């Protein structure tokens, strides 16, 4: 029997794949598979078209348990499971028979599009550029023609244009050839990572249950609220702006009011509202802020992704981030709003929202759009007869980087806190920054300490600290007198000198922060680095180890738990788990420093997280430490979720550092779920990990 069969399908459905996800796309009554291309190992590419039986050689391969490789193999799996098996009698492969070449590319930080990956790897054979025309022609409904009934679905059938349909089959054939060629160049997933990928597909296939009635009611409230907000916007702007969605027009109107707004994204709105504004301008900006809640998009995605059984599937992408963390799709629970605290008890508020009346919500809770935002998580529920168990790892990145660096005082502090013998890390860091006992640290000082821990761990400077402080509502300027008192005039003078240097160059956020806020942030950054010498050493040590590997390809260099090696045109960072992070085409370059000197700089190719383009970027010590920290935290979570899954806790979601299981009533316990998640693999000995959670019928942010 052949080892691997490469396979690709071309399909059709009235559902929009980008809006519904693959499972809902195939569940649509109009869905079908139009043609397929497949090849065993290095053999010729065979094709199949709709109307013919499953090819005998392909059937035999699947029935015998043979492997099937595809680009984004979850799509092919769902085609088998939802259409080809039930509707056409094809054998349906098991999940563990699937190999996802896209997952292999993702694990090497290569673009997760077949065309993008082929270009990144320098393949001469690339996707057929005529493909999109053919997809639009055969895979999407066409408009009714003269004499046909408007509003009905019509399709271009294979027999309507045999020549173009043959091109469509050839397009499918090329995809198999490109996928197979790429698979030869890519590093296969390890046996363990293949299990993580299979777990991800299992989780996606299982899906999360949604309260359909609540989703529809929240959409009703949202639409009614938009109408009210549009009327308020019109009145606030003298009827020059008639809809909150007219952002460009609103920006121009604000300029006529003496408000120099260039954009109205979330951060810009918060910055504007923190300044003195004319009354009309403030009203307009506040109305826009309320209308800009992302609730509608989330609710529409839930509705569109929801299957006939009330479950949303396909929400998670394996290795969606370069560190291996999962990314969100569809409703994307990873980026649910933090919450406005308009709703104090979401569970108790459900009945009010099921009325679908925005006026009632406004009367009962105020600000309907904010209230809807607070209710989004409540739309995700346990299955009938089950409850949700959720557990979140505590301060996982802070714990991991302390362990990677050997910052022993911090590791000991976490252990003491977990055992009830010491203060929390934010209180402890606050006591060190402000020179006072942990129990005397105020709420504001704790928030400043939290921002410090999150902003400074990966070599972040004033701007990184400022970003975190802004997220947690911390203004550093008022803290300056306390900082001077705690650390002394010399530390203050050093920060002032640094501010003057940066101000002269016009960099490092001197145009964004007041002098006092900048100096206070610089002082805290310096104090944090003094308190964490091993983490500071980790940045330099990892950068130097990576540089040595690039200068000496083929040699392994190690700093503490991580090793580096250049091979096959990539810089590989081996993590404590044994998994590797990949950086394409690494090289050492000289760069100019702000003070006029030259410094060796490491650069590599990778996928820009914003543009999604394959491009060169700088790779410095703090970034390497960040990648290894986040990747190690991911590896701990993957291990924990596999342990929980094996123990009978069906995972339905993984959100940042949280895992959520949908467990039948009377089975399992929250305590055991937490223990399973914290069951450390052998490579993580000495790493203090704890998880705390909750159980209930509706998902929530604890």
């Amino acid at each position: 029997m052949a080892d691997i069969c490469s396979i690709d399908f071309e399909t059709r459905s009235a559902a929009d794949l980008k809006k519904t996800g693959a499972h809902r796309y195939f569940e649509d009554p109009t869905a079908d598979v139009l043609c397929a291309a497949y090849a065993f190992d290095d053999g010729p590419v065979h094709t199949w078209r709709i109307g013919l039986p499953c090819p005998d050689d392909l059937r035999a391969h699947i029935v015998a348990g043979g492997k099937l490789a595809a680009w984004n193999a979850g799509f092919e799996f769902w085609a088998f499971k939802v259409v080809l098996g039930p509707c056409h009698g094809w054998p349906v492969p098991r999940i563990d028979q699937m190999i996802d070449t896209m997952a292999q590319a993702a694990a090497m930080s290569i673009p997760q599009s077949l065309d993008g990956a082929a270009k990144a790897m320098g393949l001469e054979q690339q996707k057929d550029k005529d493909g999109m025309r053919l997809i639009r022609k055969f895979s999407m409904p066409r408009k009714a023609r003269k004499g046909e009934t408007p509003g009905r679905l019509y399709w271009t059938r294979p027999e309507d244009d045999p020549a173009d349909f043959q091109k469509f089959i050839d397009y499918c054939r090329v995809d198999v050839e490109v996928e197979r060629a790429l698979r030869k160049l890519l590093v296969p997933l390890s046996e363990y990572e293949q299990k993580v990928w299979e777990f991800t597909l299992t989780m996606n296939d299982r899906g999360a249950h949604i309260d359909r009635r609540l989703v529809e009611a929240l959409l009703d409230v949202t639409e009614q609220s938009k109408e009210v907000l549009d009327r308020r916007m019109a009145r606030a702007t003298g009827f020059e702006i008639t809809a909150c969605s007219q952002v460009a027009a609103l920006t121009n109107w604000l300029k006529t009011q003496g408000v120099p707004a260039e954009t109205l994204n979330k951060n810009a709105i918060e910055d504007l509202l923190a300044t003195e504004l004319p009354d009309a301008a403030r009203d307009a900006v506040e109305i826009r802020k309320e209308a800009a809640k992302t609730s509608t998009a989330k609710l529409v995605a839930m509705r569109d992704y929801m299957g006939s059984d009330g479950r949303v599937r396909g929400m998670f992408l394996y290795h969606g981030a370069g560190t291996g963390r999962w990314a969100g799709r569809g409703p994307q629970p990873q980026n649910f709003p933090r919450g406005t605290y308009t709703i104090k008890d979401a569970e108790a508020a459900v009945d009010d929202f099921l009325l679908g009346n925005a006026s009632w919500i406004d009367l009962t809770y105020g600000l309907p759009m904010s209230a809807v935002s607070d209710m989004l998580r409540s739309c995700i529920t346990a299955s009938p007869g089950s409850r949700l168990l959720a557990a979140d790892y505590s301060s996982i990145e802070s714990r991991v980087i302390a362990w990677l660096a050997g910052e022993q005082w911090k590791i000991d502090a976490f252990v003491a806190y977990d055992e009830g013998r010491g203060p929390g890390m934010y209180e402890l860091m606050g006591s060190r920054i402000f020179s006072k006992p942990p129990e005397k640290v105020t709420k504001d000082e704790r928030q400043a300490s939290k921002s410090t821990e999150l902003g400074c761990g990966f070599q972040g400077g004033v701007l990184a600290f400022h970003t975190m402080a802004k997220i947690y509502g911390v203004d550093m300027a008022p803290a300056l007198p306390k900082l001077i008192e705690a650390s002394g005039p010399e530390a203050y003078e050093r920060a002032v000198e640094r501010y003057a240097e940066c101000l002269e160059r016009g960099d490092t956020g001197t145009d964004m922060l007041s002098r006092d806020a900048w100096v206070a942030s610089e002082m805290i950054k310096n104090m944090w680095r003094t308190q964490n010498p091993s983490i500071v050493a980790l940045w330099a040590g990892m950068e130097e180890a990576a540089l040595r590997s690039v200068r000496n390809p083929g040699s392994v260099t190690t700093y503490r738990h991580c090793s580096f090696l250049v091979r096959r045109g990539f810089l590989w960072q081996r993590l404590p788990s044994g998994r590797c992070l990949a950086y394409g085409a690494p090289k050492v370059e000289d760069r100019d420093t702000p003070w006029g000197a030259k410094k060796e700089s490491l650069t590599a190719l990778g996928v820009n997280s914003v543009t999604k383009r394959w491009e060169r970027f700088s790779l410095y010590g703090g970034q390497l430490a960040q990648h290894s920290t986040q990747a190690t935290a991911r590896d701990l979570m993957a291990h924990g979720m596999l342990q929980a899954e094996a123990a009978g806790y069906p995972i339905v979601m993984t959100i940042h550092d949280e895992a959520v299981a949908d467990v039948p009533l009377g089975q399992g316990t929250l305590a055991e779920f937490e223990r399973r998640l914290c069951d450390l693999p052998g490579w993580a000995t000495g790493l203090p990990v704890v998880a705390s959670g909750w159980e209930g019928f509706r998902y929530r942010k604890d």
Side-chain angles (χ1 to χ4, degrees), residues 54 102 130 141 222 270 280 282 367 450 462 548 600 605 689:
C54 177
M102 187 179 83
D130 198 33
T222 299
E270 293 295 343
R282 179 170 293 279
L367 295 176
K450 184 175 184 178
V462 168
R548 287 204 311 272
E600 281 191 327
L605 290 174
V689 175

Side-chain angles (χ1 to χ4, degrees), residues 599-659:
K599 181 183 178 182
E600 281 191 327
S601 174
L602 178 61
T603 68
L605 290 174
V607 178
N608 185 304
S609 61
V610 177
T611 66
K612 305 304 179 185
R613 293 178 180 173
W614 176 251
E615 56 190 45
R616 188 161 291 278
F617 65 98
S618 266
L619 196 57
Y620 58 92
Q623 195 173 29
L624 289 166
Q626 180 181 25
H627 293 171
S628 59
T629 297
Q630 293 177 344
T632 298
R634 175 269 191 194
D635 291 344
L636 289 168
M637 188 163 196
H639 177 83
M641 288 194 297
L642 288 176
Q643 299 304 305
E645 181 87 14
Y649 293 88
I651 306 290
V652 293
M653 294 193 298
T654 171
I655 302 167
H656 301 303
D657 302 321
E658 181 184 43

Side-chain angles (χ1 to χ4, degrees), residues 1 58-67 94 97:
M1 185 180 74
L58 183 56
R59 177 184 292 275
H61 182 80
I62 296 171
V63 170
K67 298 291 186 179
R94 302 183 310 273
Q97 289 179 250

Side-chain angles (χ1 to χ4, degrees), residues 411-652:
I411 295 171
D412 294 341
F414 278 122
V415 171
Y417 175 72
D418 296 342
E419 295 176 353
R421 298 185 287 103
M425 182 53 62
Y426 301 143
E427 288 79 9
L428 186 58
M429 186 56 67
S431 75
R432 290 176 170 233
I433 291 173
F434 296 102
S435 296
K436 58 171 59 177
E439 63 273 14
K440 297 291 186 180
V441 171
T442 67
K443 181 179 179 181
D444 288 344
E445 290 166 349
R446 184 186 187 278
Q447 287 294 84
S449 174
K450 184 175 184 178
S451 302
T452 305
E453 274 293 292
L454 297 175
C456 295
F458 304 129
Q459 207 172 346
V462 168
L463 276 181
F465 176 81
H466 169 65
T467 298
M468 285 299 167
K470 193 172 182 180
I471 290 173
Y472 291 99
V474 178
D475 180 5
M476 290 311 305
L480 185 57
K482 289 184 180 179
L483 291 170
I484 296 172
E485 180 181 345
S487 57
E490 290 185 5
Y492 171 69
E493 290 300 328
R494 285 196 300 271
V496 169
E497 289 176 8
R498 171 76 172 152
Y499 174 76
E501 293 170 1
C502 293
L503 181 64
E504 185 176 355
R505 293 195 301 266
D507 65 5
T508 324
T510 51
D511 59 336
M512 299 169 56
L513 295 169
S514 69
R515 176 186 179 278
D516 283 359
W518 199 102
V519 170
S521 300
E522 175 72 6
M523 290 180 70
I524 285 188
K525 178 203 79 175
N526 291 337
M527 280 187 276
W528 187 93
R529 292 184 178 183
T530 299
Q531 296 288 345
N532 293 271
S534 296
I535 294 177
V536 173
L538 179 70
W539 306 334
M542 294 190 79
E543 183 169 344
E544 180 54 34
L547 283 166
R548 287 204 311 272
S549 284
V550 176
R551 294 191 204 102
N552 303 283
S555 64
V556 177
T557 58
T558 301
Y559 186 81
R560 290 192 56 78
H561 295 279
C562 297
S563 300
F564 297 88
L565 170 69
V566 173
R567 182 173 291 173
R568 297 176 62 170
F570 283 79
L571 170 65
W572 303 90
Q573 180 184 180
R574 190 175 189 273
L575 302 165
S577 65
R579 183 167 68 93
C580 291
L581 302 182
Y583 306 94
K587 62 181 180 179
V588 179
E589 303 174 335
D590 284 337
R591 66 176 178 85
D592 294 324
T593 63
W595 49 91
K598 295 282 187 180
K599 181 183 178 182
E600 281 191 327
S601 174
L602 178 61
T603 68
L605 290 174
V607 178
N608 185 304
S609 61
V610 177
T611 66
K612 305 304 179 185
R613 293 178 180 173
W614 176 251
E615 56 190 45
R616 188 161 291 278
F617 65 98
S618 266
L619 196 57
Y620 58 92
Q623 195 173 29
L624 289 166
Q626 180 181 25
H627 293 171
S628 59
T629 297
Q630 293 177 344
T632 298
R634 175 269 191 194
D635 291 344
L636 289 168
M637 188 163 196
H639 177 83
M641 288 194 297
L642 288 176
Q643 299 304 305
E645 181 87 14
Y649 293 88
I651 306 290
V652 293

